[in-house]
Amino acid sequence: MSDIIKAKKKIVILTGAGISTESGIPDFRSPGGLWSIYRTVTIQEFLANEEDRKYYWQYKRESYKNIVKANPNDGHNALVTLEKKGKLQCLITQNIDGLHQIAGNSSNLILELHGTDRQVICLKCSKLYNRDEIQAHLERSDDVPVCDDCGGWLKPATVSFGQNLQPQIIEQAMYESEHCDAFLVIGSSLTVHPAALLPEHAKRSGAWLGILNGDPTPLDSFSDWVCHDPAGQVLQKAINITI
Ligand code: NAD
């Protein structure tokens, strides 16, 4: 892969939960992942039932503890090097942990497809809240947090199951996938749509396609390069050392 990194100039990266497991944030589907501990709550269930809102916020209170104590790892840092070398066209992420920004990638190159856990939004008036402020409320009380201004329910600024992605973000991600010369997937099972459509779109538009993921993905046989080793060490070697 280092040859490709050297040769290509407009690289688009798609990251998933697997790039952050080496920072101590569990992914969804691996053994011990979040889905083996908590059930998902759809946006429809959140809106309809107080018990589901409470359960959802309990899960968010606990999962956020992993996020605040996590630091970027070799994988995140290698993507900062890629940007510094002027080769990173766009960093599309399914992650909600904000670690790419903390590592030092520029916000204007990052597309957060599924939003961010670092902010909280009022579902009625869209007022934004700092997540740490809401976390402090959650540590004091099991009550579902509500908006100071309008009394609407607060929810992390993430895209929940059953909730639509922001159209301008997915449109931009499609555009970037169509206009790159290499597209690299890192740490995603490629089972969540529409994110999983982006690599295929890039390859059909003429880009080289690589997949760096611990487990096989549905697109492995369609790709130009596949690697199942841990992302951090592979990226460290391919980007930090060889550029
Ligand atoms: P996923 O859980 O479906 O897949 C993660 C993949 O990463 C797995 O296939 C696993 O084999 C691989 N993986 C784990 N550790 C790895 C490593 N060190 N190196 C390389 N590969 C590794 O995750 P997904 O495809 O991102 O989709 C799940 C959804 O979960 C996303 O929508 C995302 O928003 C959300 N999520 C985000 C976080 C986060 O922000 N860190 C954590 C959990 C879930």
Side-chain angles (χ1 to χ4, degrees), residues 47-62:
L47 293 172
N49 309 310
E50 180 69 6
E51 280 314 304
D52 283 330
R53 283 191 287 279
K54 279 193 172 165
Y55 179 86
Y56 176 84
W57 269 114
Q58 277 169 16
Y59 151 58
K60 282 292 179 180
R61 182 187 64 203
E62 295 311 310

Side-chain angles (χ1 to χ4, degrees), residues 190-232:
L190 293 179
T191 50
V192 178
H193 285 75
L197 301 174
L198 297 171
E200 192 173 343
H201 188 56
K203 169 100 172 135
R204 292 198 189 284
S205 305
W208 173 92
L209 175 62
I211 297 183
L212 171 54
N213 192 58
D215 294 303
T217 77
L219 284 187
D220 283 9
S221 58
F222 179 70
S223 304
D224 299 297
W225 177 86
V226 175
C227 175
H228 295 306
D229 293 334

Side-chain angles (χ1 to χ4, degrees), residues 56-66 131 135 138-139 141-142:
Y56 176 84
W57 269 114
Q58 277 169 16
Y59 151 58
K60 282 292 179 180
R61 182 187 64 203
E62 295 311 310
S63 59
Y64 188 65
K65 290 175 184 169
N66 284 325
R131 179 56 196 272
Q135 189 74 4
L138 298 171
E139 294 295 344
S141 157
D142 281 341

Side-chain angles (χ1 to χ4, degrees), residues 15-22 25-30 34 67 94-97 114 187-192 212-216 229-232:
T15 62
I19 196 170
S20 294
T21 55
E22 290 166 58
I25 303 175
D27 61 16
F28 264 165
R29 290 174 180 77
S30 300
L34 294 177
I67 289 182
Q94 299 174 87
N95 292 345
I96 54 174
D97 56 34
H114 298 161
S188 173
S189 60
L190 293 179
T191 50
V192 178
L212 171 54
N213 192 58
D215 294 303
D229 293 334

